[in-house]
Amino acid sequence: MKNKITDIQPQVKHEGRFSVFINGAFSFGISDFDLLKLSLSVGDCLTDEELSDIRDALDESKCQDYANALVCRKMYTEKELYRKLSARGYTDDVCQTVIDRLKEYNYINDEEYARLYIEEKKGQYGEFKIRQKLYEKGLPRETVEHAMSDFESGDAAYLLLKQKLRGGKPKKDDRQKYIRFLASKGFSFDEAKDALNAYTEDTDGFDDE
């Protein structure tokens, strides 16, 4: 049986979208833009291959719209966006096509994402924690290592310790607790120890000395 378009009706609940009926039964929804682009009209007869191509094109269009909405709100890594699109049920080919298009226009840029993320978080975490979080976001090892190559934590460990202690003197018995706190933020043992030593010097020693 031929795939004949028997009706095209505007959707009541979705302005700018239409329902296309094939052989009297609903076949797919389509935007007014895609309807014009594909030049579909009542009475058109489509082969199975043509109908399949139309549905693939519409999936890609919907995926593109969803991806555009996502990247307009916040930055994503390529892997994060792929996971989002895939979770919506789009095929691997459709997801990759949309992502490649966004990369072409620089809406997805893993190198820039890593650079900005490091700049934002370097006062909150140490090198190890930031590197771990970048890997969790799906960034390639080469991208992460290149972005971290010039990383300097500066006074971040000292300032975090000062914030935790609210500027007061640390307790000597809690020395290991302070070091563990800084280690949990991604600082090395030496960085944590140096920060604690510098802080105790600035506060004239421990509270119970």
Side-chain angles (χ1 to χ4, degrees), residues 35-100:
L35 186 64
L36 288 172
K37 184 173 72 172
L38 295 171
S39 300
L40 299 179
S41 303
V42 173
D44 289 348
C45 290
L46 309 171
T47 65
D48 290 343
E49 184 178 0
E50 287 172 333
L51 184 56
S52 178
D53 287 345
I54 287 172
R55 286 177 171 149
D56 287 345
L58 294 179
D59 274 349
E60 184 180 317
S61 180
K62 287 190 290 185
C63 183
Q64 185 72 63
D65 288 344
Y66 179 54
N68 290 347
L70 289 175
V71 299
C72 281
R73 289 197 293 268
K74 57 171 283 191
M75 287 186 71
Y76 285 86
T77 67
E78 181 176 343
K79 184 65 71 174
E80 283 179 324
L81 186 60
Y82 178 87
R83 290 168 183 162
K84 281 275 191 181
L85 302 181
S86 183
R88 277 289 185 102
Y90 297 114
T91 66
D92 292 346
D93 287 345
V94 167
C95 292
Q96 196 58 56
T97 297
V98 168
I99 287 172
D100 287 344

Side-chain angles (χ1 to χ4, degrees), residues 175-194:
R175 181 182 179 88
Q176 292 304 314
K177 184 177 74 173
Y178 302 137
I179 291 177
R180 286 197 301 273
F181 163 72
L182 292 174
S184 73
K185 296 293 185 179
F187 297 95
S188 69
F189 174 78
D190 286 341
E191 287 176 316
K193 185 177 66 174
D194 289 346

Side-chain angles (χ1 to χ4, degrees), residues 2-16:
K2 292 182 178 181
N3 301 301
K4 184 177 182 179
I5 299 179
T6 51
D7 201 4
I8 300 176
Q9 291 288 336
Q11 295 182 358
V12 176
K13 294 183 179 181
H14 301 95
E15 185 178 355

Side-chain angles (χ1 to χ4, degrees), residues 114-137 139 144 147-148 151-153 156 184-187:
R115 186 187 70 79
L116 291 174
Y117 187 88
I118 292 169
E119 188 66 26
E120 178 187 355
K121 300 297 184 181
K122 67 181 182 182
Q124 304 173 36
Y125 302 116
E127 178 180 352
F128 301 116
K129 189 78 167 184
I130 292 177
R131 181 179 275 106
Q132 176 190 6
K133 285 183 173 293
L134 289 174
Y135 282 136
E136 288 173 357
K137 291 177 177 296
L139 288 169
V144 173
M148 295 293 296
F151 179 83
E152 293 182 4
S153 60
S184 73
K185 296 293 185 179
F187 297 95

